[in-house]
């Protein structure tokens, strides 16, 4: 599990104890309201483990204001999808769950989460990337909680500031190579990271038609995608990336080279920050530099998302609580406590985010990024693209043939899964 950088100094919030009163699907009602229909006795939210303190404080404030108790239960985020599939039909499930946005298509197909009723108003505060992330088949299914994406991390003892372009970073790399070192390292044989340059040159996984991803329209072997793969191959062919970076051990090799100060900069996510600082790196962070074509590197963006259970009888009140929980005030508190970076437009220039170099970099990069596709067909993309990228990285096959083969296999696998 990727971990966001920790360590900000914050005041510990006072949290009221909440009584446990059973599941959210059978919580009943106790009052009426012109805004939210019948008031339930309570609503239940599943929050990620070890990250519930701020949610409990928000729940207490909501109860005091609205007269609706909110019970916060800690359930590991990666377990919630399977657990709600069992607990929901049994009437023991929550009203609200937390999940990575790329699972949305799957859980919608499984009938586990509900389309938001107040969809337009719900998404007003968020950056466009986050809005797209929680939209599936043209409908909105969640409130964005936090965002993460790869950024440029660099050693300030070697680079005083982040290069403005990848051409500048390329020059640093060629200079470092003379001394047996590396200027920039990235795991570009891994499609999660390689999508950045591929997308920046015009490739895409599935065509986005107004919020609906079309799995029949795959753009991973179009002219731009091939140009992006050629650009990736250049770094390997010229020895600017070591051979040890290719394959399953690439991440460990990259971290070691950067930690040993044998590399000046890396493409990695905020989850790597703590370990780099522990190694004594004078760490800088920035959005990734522009590609030689002048376009941004379009990294995959992940959005942690609160969604309303399809089994909830209290959807309006669940949405009302989520609007408060993911609002600017609570989002800032969550960031200060847990470094959950909120994708809220108004916070871009807020000192809370702006003065934190890593958070500011993630925020800036996320605006240029692409939400990881949230449809089930994405599962058929990873292995064919990994194979294609490794062929390019090892110079065993040209980019066009590798991309064509990958797309052919992806289409075959998608078709096979329909049967």
């Amino acid at each position: 599990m990727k971990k966001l950088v920790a360590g900000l100094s914050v005041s510990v919030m006072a949290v009221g104890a909440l009584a446990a009163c059973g599941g959210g699907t059978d919580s009943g009602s106790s009052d009426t309201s012109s805004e939210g229909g019948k008031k339930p006795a309570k609503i239940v939210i599943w929050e990620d483990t070890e990250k519930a303190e701020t949610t409990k404080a928000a729940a207490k404030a909501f109860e005091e204001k609205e007269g609706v108790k909110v019970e916060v239960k800690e359930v590991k985020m990666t377990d919630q999808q399977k657990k709600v599939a069992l607990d929901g039909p049994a009437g023991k499930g929550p009203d609200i769950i937390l999940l990575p946005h790329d699972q949305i298509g799957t859980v919608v197909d499984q009938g586990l989460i509900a389309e938001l009723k107040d969809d337009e108003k719900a998404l007003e505060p968020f950056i466009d990337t986050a809005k797209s992330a929680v939209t599936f088949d043209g409908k909105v299914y969640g409130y964005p909680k936090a965002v993460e994406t790869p950024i440029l991390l660099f050693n300030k003892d070697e680079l005083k500031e982040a290069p403005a372009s990848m051409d500048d970073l390329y020059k640093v790399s060629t200079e470092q190579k003379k001394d047996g070192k590396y200027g920039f390292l990235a795991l570009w044989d891994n499609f999660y990271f390689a999508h950045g340059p591929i997308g920046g040159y015009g490739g895409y996984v599935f065509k986005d038609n107004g919020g609906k991803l079309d799995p029949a329209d795959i753009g991973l072997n179009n002219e731009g995608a091939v140009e992006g793969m050629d650009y990736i191959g250049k770094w390997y062919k010229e020895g600017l990336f070591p051979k040890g970076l290719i394959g399953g051990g690439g991440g460990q090799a990259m971290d070691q080279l950067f930690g040993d100060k044998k590399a000046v900069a890396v493409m990695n996510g905020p989850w790597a920050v703590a370990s780099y600082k522990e190694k004594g790196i004078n760490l800088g962070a920035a959005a990734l530099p522009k590609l030689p074509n002048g376009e941004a590197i379009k990294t995959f963006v992940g959005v942690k998302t609160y969604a309303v259970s399809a089994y909830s009888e209290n959807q309006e009140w669940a949405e009302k609580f989520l609007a408060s929980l993911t609002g600017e005030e609570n989002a800032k508190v969550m960031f200060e406590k847990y470094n959950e970076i909120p994708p809220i437009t108004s916070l871009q220039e807020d000192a809370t985010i702006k003065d934190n170099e890593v958070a500011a970099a993630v925020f800036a990069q996320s605006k240029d990024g692409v939400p990881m596709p949230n449809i089930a067909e994405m599962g058929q993309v990873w292995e064919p693209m990994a194979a294609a990228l490794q062929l390019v990285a090892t110079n065993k096959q040209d980019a066009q043939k590798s991309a064509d083969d990958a797309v052919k296999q992806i289409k075959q696998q998608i078709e096979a899964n329909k049967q």
Side-chain angles (χ1 to χ4, degrees):
M1 182 69 180
K2 297 169 183 174
K3 295 183 178 178
L4 292 176
V5 54
L8 289 180
S9 176
V10 295
S11 299
V12 177
M13 298 180 60
V15 180
L18 297 177
C21 303
T25 57
D26 60 352
S27 51
S29 61
S30 61
D31 199 356
T32 58
S33 167
S34 59
E35 293 185 14
K38 289 185 177 181
K39 284 189 177 181
K42 69 172 181 179
I43 56 176
V44 178
I45 179 173
W46 284 354
E47 182 58 270
D48 201 4
T49 53
E50 300 181 0
K51 292 187 176 181
E53 185 176 343
T54 55
T55 304
K56 288 178 180 178
K60 183 178 180 181
F62 185 81
E63 179 181 355
E64 292 173 351
K65 179 181 179 182
E66 303 291 349
V68 176
K69 178 181 282 294
V70 181
E71 181 179 353
V72 183
K73 292 186 176 181
E74 294 188 44
V75 179
K76 191 175 180 182
M77 183 177 70
T78 52
D79 294 341
Q80 291 193 24
Q81 178 183 345
K82 290 182 179 179
K83 187 171 172 59
V84 77
L86 297 173
D87 291 357
K92 300 184 297 182
D95 296 286
I96 299 165
I97 64 171
L98 178 68
L99 73 163
H101 87 270
D102 56 301
Q103 291 182 1
I104 287 177
T106 299
V107 295
V108 170
D109 289 342
Q110 292 173 341
L112 300 180
I113 62 174
E115 176 188 355
L116 296 189
K117 294 180 179 179
D118 197 9
D119 55 354
E120 292 186 9
K121 185 177 179 182
L123 295 187
E124 282 180 4
F126 302 102
I127 62 174
D128 289 343
T129 309
K131 293 177 182 178
S132 297
V134 299
T135 301
F136 171 71
D137 202 22
K139 300 174 181 177
V140 179
Y141 284 92
Y143 281 77
K145 175 188 181 184
V147 65
E148 64 180 14
T149 195
I151 56 177
L152 184 73
L153 298 170
F154 59 97
N155 188 334
K156 288 184 176 180
D157 293 336
E158 300 287 342
L159 284 176
K160 291 184 179 180
E161 59 184 10
S165 70
M166 287 301 297
D167 283 340
D168 292 337
L169 204 49
Y170 174 82
K171 291 177 183 178
V172 173
S173 295
T174 55
E175 292 169 1
Q176 291 290 320
K177 184 182 176 183
K178 298 173 185 177
D179 298 326
K181 297 182 179 181
Y182 300 96
F184 169 68
L185 298 176
L187 304 178
W188 280 348
D189 68 323
N190 179 328
F191 185 55
Y192 174 75
F193 295 98
H195 181 273
I198 290 173
Y201 276 102
Y204 56 88
V205 184
F206 304 118
K207 188 70 173 180
D208 187 341
N209 296 319
K212 296 183 179 182
L213 296 178
D214 183 0
D217 188 341
I218 300 172
L220 292 175
N221 63 337
N222 65 16
E223 183 178 351
V226 173
E227 189 174 0
M229 290 176 72
D230 276 330
Y231 181 72
I232 285 171
K234 170 183 177 179
W235 288 78
Y236 292 95
K237 290 173 186 176
E238 296 185 13
L240 301 178
F241 289 174
K243 293 181 179 179
L245 231 61
I246 302 172
Q252 184 177 354
M254 183 180 75
D255 289 345
Q256 184 170 343
L257 286 167
F258 188 56
D260 292 343
K261 301 181 181 180
K262 294 180 180 178
V264 174
V266 296
M267 176 185 182
N268 212 337
W271 51 85
V273 168
S275 63
Y276 289 160
K277 287 185 175 181
E278 287 173 2
K279 293 177 181 178
I281 302 295
N282 183 13
L283 198 66
L288 288 153
K290 302 291 184 183
L291 289 163
N293 65 352
E295 297 295 325
I297 291 180
K298 295 188 179 298
T299 52
F300 273 142
V301 178
V303 180
K304 294 180 182 180
T305 303
Y306 291 115
V308 179
S309 169
Y311 300 99
S312 173
E313 297 177 356
N314 310 306
Q315 181 172 351
E316 290 184 29
W317 282 96
E319 288 190 35
K320 189 175 181 67
F321 174 63
L322 287 180
S324 173
L325 181 64
T326 60
E328 183 175 317
E329 183 177 348
N330 284 326
K332 286 169 67 174
V333 173
M334 283 188 180
F335 170 70
E336 291 171 344
K337 181 66 177 178
Y338 299 117
N339 280 314
E340 300 275 34
I341 301 170
I344 299 175
T345 305
S346 61
L347 293 181
Q348 181 179 7
E349 298 300 323
D350 191 282
T352 306
I353 301 294
K354 195 174 182 179
D355 293 348
N356 183 296
E357 201 168 331
V358 172
V362 170
F363 202 106
Q365 184 64 43
S366 294
K367 292 204 304 178
D368 286 326
V370 175
M372 193 179 298
N374 59 13
I375 60 176
E377 287 84 353
M378 184 62 192
Q380 309 307 321
V381 173
W382 299 109
E383 290 186 10
M385 284 305 298
L389 290 162
Q390 290 194 17
L391 287 171
V392 171
T394 55
N395 201 26
K396 292 180 179 178
Q397 191 166 276
D398 66 52
Q400 184 70 66
K401 180 68 165 59
S402 299
D404 287 342
D405 289 348
V407 171
K408 180 180 179 180
Q409 185 179 351
I410 292 166
K411 289 182 176 180
Q412 288 175 343
Q413 290 177 179
I414 289 175
E415 192 61 33
N417 274 4
K418 292 180 181 178
Q419 300 174 3

